Amino acid sequence: MKNFFSKKLYSSILEGDINISIEKLVEVLDQIREDGFNVFYTYEMWEECIDGHQFAEWLYDYNTDPQLSDLKKELSIKLNRAQEDEESYGVYLEKLSTQAKKDFSDQFSFIEKEKDNNPYLIYSLRKYMDLRRLYLRTVTNNKDFLSAIDSIYPNIYFHPDLKNKLNTLNSSFSDLLPEIVEHLSALDSYSQNLQSSVEYRISNKEQCKDFSGKYNIACSPESNRDKAKKLTYKDGSISVNCECHTKFEKRGKNRDKQDRIYFNFGISDYKEGKLIVYSIGDHV
């Protein structure tokens, strides 16, 4: 993904609580870097002027607001890692203005305070992840999907055999993809909240009911105990049962045997307590 600092970055930082603005910006820049993406800028970013002060002048002024000095220094380090690219900036600014059709092979964002529900404008970790998941809906093959999901869903551990499980889908992968993304996004969010929740130890049936109530997605444990055993795998001395499942009910050609995601809500001392997705495929 190509990420561009908006020419209005200075305005975005000064909007609202400056401490929180800088902290949110640093957080999303750290995530972009961790995901292996670059950030670009145009020189005009430094020249944006507010109340007679240019952005560069404000950023390196540590005396006027000394309580901001540490945050400004941290932010300046992040900004100086960016690369200048005037030509690409103009090309993608045009795509931004027209809200060009999303393309997994040509992903971009502009780092600016969100407005008008424009999905390409990001200034928080949540909006950044939302945009990456929107792009994931446009992926055209299993390989690109599998290479992207670990970073897009940081609160889920994906079993290594997931590639083979995808090949068992009754319906086409492309038809189901929007619903797959929707379900994984809900599971990731639930997992994030679950890891520190007092509800962590409730039964599968109660956990599925809680998940369904929060996200309006059908979820249940396996009713057939023999099938439930088939959905258990061993990793060393740890036994992981993945009988809980969501069903793809919005799309798919077989209404009586819907494809589904099989998973485990997480084991506290295994894979950092993350939710475990074992299969995205056919009904066992």
Side-chain angles (χ1 to χ4, degrees):
M1 180 188 287
K2 293 176 75 75
N3 305 277
F4 297 90
F5 284 123
S6 166
K7 296 175 183 179
K8 299 178 181 179
L9 183 65
Y10 185 22
S11 303
S12 293
I13 292 172
L14 296 186
E15 184 179 319
D17 186 299
I18 298 177
N19 285 276
I20 294 175
S21 284
I22 296 177
E23 288 170 357
K24 287 176 68 175
L25 179 55
V26 167
E27 182 181 41
V28 74
L29 291 176
D30 283 342
Q31 189 63 54
I32 289 171
R33 183 176 175 83
E34 183 178 327
D35 291 342
F37 300 129
N38 293 320
V39 183
F40 303 90
Y41 71 94
T42 176
Y43 194 78
E44 290 177 55
M45 175 191 77
W46 296 108
E47 297 178 327
E48 183 184 7
C49 190
I50 297 177
D51 295 332
H53 300 284
Q54 289 187 341
F55 177 41
E57 180 184 359
W58 173 85
L59 182 65
Y60 293 102
D61 175 9
Y62 303 134
N63 298 317
T64 303
D65 294 299
Q67 73 276 10
L68 294 175
S69 61
D70 288 342
L71 280 173
K72 283 183 175 183
K73 289 174 183 177
E74 183 177 9
L75 178 58
S76 67
I77 292 172
K78 313 290 183 186
L79 293 176
N80 285 317
R81 287 177 180 156
Q83 305 170 39
E84 186 174 4
D85 190 342
E86 300 283 344
E87 183 177 353
S88 293
Y89 190 95
V91 170
Y92 284 94
L93 190 63
E94 175 64 22
K95 293 184 179 185
L96 173 68
S97 66
T98 60
Q99 293 209 32
K101 183 178 179 181
K102 296 174 187 65
D103 181 350
F104 188 81
S105 64
D106 187 26
Q107 302 179 46
F108 72 94
S109 79
F110 279 79
I111 300 170
E112 180 183 333
K113 281 280 175 72
E114 304 94 292
K115 59 185 177 182
D116 302 327
N117 296 316
N118 189 323
Y120 298 106
L121 298 182
I122 62 169
Y123 197 90
S124 67
L125 194 54
R126 181 184 63 81
K127 290 288 289 186
Y128 169 69
M129 285 301 191
D130 285 348
L131 179 57
R132 291 205 65 200
R133 291 166 186 176
L134 283 175
Y135 275 120
L136 188 63
R137 290 170 177 256
T138 69
V139 76
T140 57
N141 59 75
N142 292 6
K143 182 179 179 181
D144 286 342
F145 173 80
L146 291 167
S147 69
I149 54 178
D150 283 332
S151 61
I152 292 178
Y153 299 109
N155 299 296
I156 296 177
Y157 168 73
F158 292 96
H159 189 273
D161 196 39
L162 194 61
K163 176 183 178 181
N164 293 325
K165 297 293 194 299
L166 279 170
N167 292 331
T168 70
L169 287 168
N170 287 300
S171 299
S172 72
F173 172 71
S174 59
D175 285 347
L176 289 176
L177 184 56
E179 201 167 1
I180 292 173
V181 172
E182 177 190 352
H183 286 212
L184 290 178
S185 298
L187 289 170
D188 185 83
S189 175
Y190 191 78
S191 177
Q192 183 179 21
N193 296 324
L194 186 63
Q195 292 174 45
S196 60
S197 171
V198 294
E199 300 171 348
Y200 198 50
R201 298 292 182 181
I202 64 178
S203 70
N204 280 339
K205 184 176 181 180
E206 292 173 304
Q207 204 85 77
C208 287
K209 182 179 179 181
D210 183 59
F211 172 81
S212 293
K214 286 182 168 69
Y215 296 96
N216 195 30
I217 293 174
C219 179
S220 61
E222 181 57 58
S223 57
N224 184 307
R225 300 324 298 164
D226 289 334
K227 289 183 178 180
K229 291 178 182 178
K230 294 179 181 179
L231 293 161
T232 300
Y233 73 90
K234 295 278 289 185
D235 190 350
S237 61
I238 297 178
S239 181
V240 185
N241 174 267
C242 298
E243 64 175 288
C244 296
H245 55 273
T246 64
K247 299 177 183 179
F248 302 130
E249 299 182 316
K250 298 178 181 178
R251 299 170 178 83
K253 60 186 179 183
N254 191 333
R255 308 307 299 170
D256 298 318
K257 193 180 178 185
Q258 293 114 325
D259 293 309
R260 53 197 67 196
I261 297 177
Y262 286 101
F263 65 94
N264 181 292
F265 279 104
I267 300 171
S268 59
D269 56 352
Y270 179 69
K271 302 300 179 184
E272 301 176 325
K274 295 180 179 182
L275 186 145
I276 302 152
V277 167
Y278 176 63
S279 171
I280 302 175
D282 187 14
H283 182 200
V284 171

